[in-house]
Amino acid sequence: MSLETISTNRSHGGTQGVYKHRSSETGTDMTFSVFVPDHAEGETLPVLWYLSGLTCTHANVTEKGEYREACAQHGVIFVAPDTSPRGDEVPDDEGYDFGKGAGFYVDATEQPWAANFRMRSYIESELPALLAASFPVDMDRQAITGHSMGGHGALTIALRNPERFRSVSAFSPIVSPLACPWGEKALGGYLGGDKAAWREYDACALIEDGARVADLLVDQGDADGFLEEQLRTPLLVAACEKAGQPATIRMQAGYDHSYYFISSFMAEHVAWHAERLAT
C-alpha cells in the first residue's frame, strides 16, 4: 500500500501529518491525518482513532480539535480518517446527510453505493493495516472516539470489536440511527429496507442484542439543536442502564454541536483514553 505525504508540521512536541493513499475498499484515493508525539527510537505508542461527523473531512478535527497538546503529554498517536469516499466517479446525493461526506461508517449493500461506500471495512481493516505498516503504533493498545455521525461510528465499531479497543468515547453521537431521520435516510439508502440489517450499525440495538465494551464516555451539549430529534442521547442512557453496560454520559450545560464544544472537552477524552491505554 503506497502512502503519499501531503504535508507535515511541527506542533506541540510532535509531528502533524496529512497523508493520501489509494484504497482497495472504497476504490478511491483516501486522505487522513496522523499526529505522532515525539518518542524514543524504536518505541511504539498507543493510538486514538477519531471519526468525524456529517459534511466533515479529516481536516475539521485536525484544524479545530485541539488534541495535540494532550496527545503529546500522554504519548498517544491521533488518527483522523475521512468520513466517506470522494471523487468524480463516486455517486452522491443532493442532501448533506447522504452520499459524499456522509458515509455513516457502513458497508453499503445497495446500488449505486455498494462499490465505494465501504467505510466500515476501511476503518476496521484497511486503514489499520496501513497504519501498522507506516507509523510507530502499538496495535495492541487502541481506542476510538468520534463526533455526531462519527460518534455513531465509534460506538458501533467498538461494540462490534471489543477485543480491539481498550476504550470508546463520543461527542454528541447519533446513538440510534434506527430511531432518527438521519439514520433512517442513511441506513435505508445504503442497506435497503430490512431494518434487521441495520441493527449492527445502531449502538442501542447492539447493546440490546448483547454487545458490551469495558466502559464508555459520552459528552453531549444540552444546547445542541440536534439533540432531541437526531442524537437522542436518552435512548443510550436507557439502553446502558437496562443492560448493565458501564457508561459515563454527561450533559454539558450551554454547549452546542460545534467544534467549540468538542475542543472544550477533547483533552479530558484524550486523558481518559490514555489512562486505559497505559499498560
Side-chain angles (χ1 to χ4, degrees), residues 6-108:
I6 303 300
S7 64
T8 57
N9 296 93
R10 184 78 176 152
S11 181
H12 288 286
T15 301
Q16 177 64 66
V18 178
Y19 307 92
K20 182 170 71 172
H21 73 111
R22 187 71 181 179
S23 168
S24 60
E25 287 291 349
T26 69
T28 67
D29 289 340
M30 295 294 290
T31 302
F32 63 98
S33 73
V34 181
F35 176 74
V36 180
D38 290 348
H39 56 285
E41 185 175 354
E43 181 184 9
T44 58
L45 302 176
V47 58
L48 175 59
W49 296 82
Y50 177 93
L51 305 184
S52 294
L54 285 168
T55 75
C56 291
T57 70
H58 71 282
N60 298 75
V61 69
T62 305
E63 296 169 1
K64 298 184 287 187
E66 299 183 24
Y67 55 84
R68 278 173 284 269
E69 184 175 9
C71 285
Q73 177 185 347
H74 294 287
V76 174
I77 290 173
F78 191 97
V79 179
D82 201 346
T83 52
S84 65
R86 299 181 191 271
D88 293 341
E89 72 277 22
V90 176
D92 200 9
D93 183 81
E94 293 182 356
Y96 73 95
D97 52 356
F98 193 69
K100 295 178 188 178
F104 266 82
Y105 305 100
V106 306
D107 280 353

Side-chain angles (χ1 to χ4, degrees), residues 164-186:
R164 173 179 164 190
F165 295 100
R166 299 273 190 95
S167 52
V168 56
S169 72
F171 303 90
S172 313
I174 303 169
V175 306
S176 183
L178 279 158
C180 73
W182 278 342
E184 289 176 4
K185 178 177 180 179

Side-chain angles (χ1 to χ4, degrees), residues 187-227:
L187 298 190
Y190 293 135
L191 304 176
D194 180 8
K195 290 192 175 183
W198 302 9
R199 294 185 68 82
E200 61 185 319
Y201 296 111
D202 184 298
C204 293
L206 283 164
I207 292 169
E208 182 180 330
D209 292 344
R212 298 289 184 271
V213 291
D215 196 6
L216 63 88
L217 169 65
V218 171
D219 275 311
Q220 171 64 58
D222 69 2
D224 188 325
F226 299 114
L227 173 57

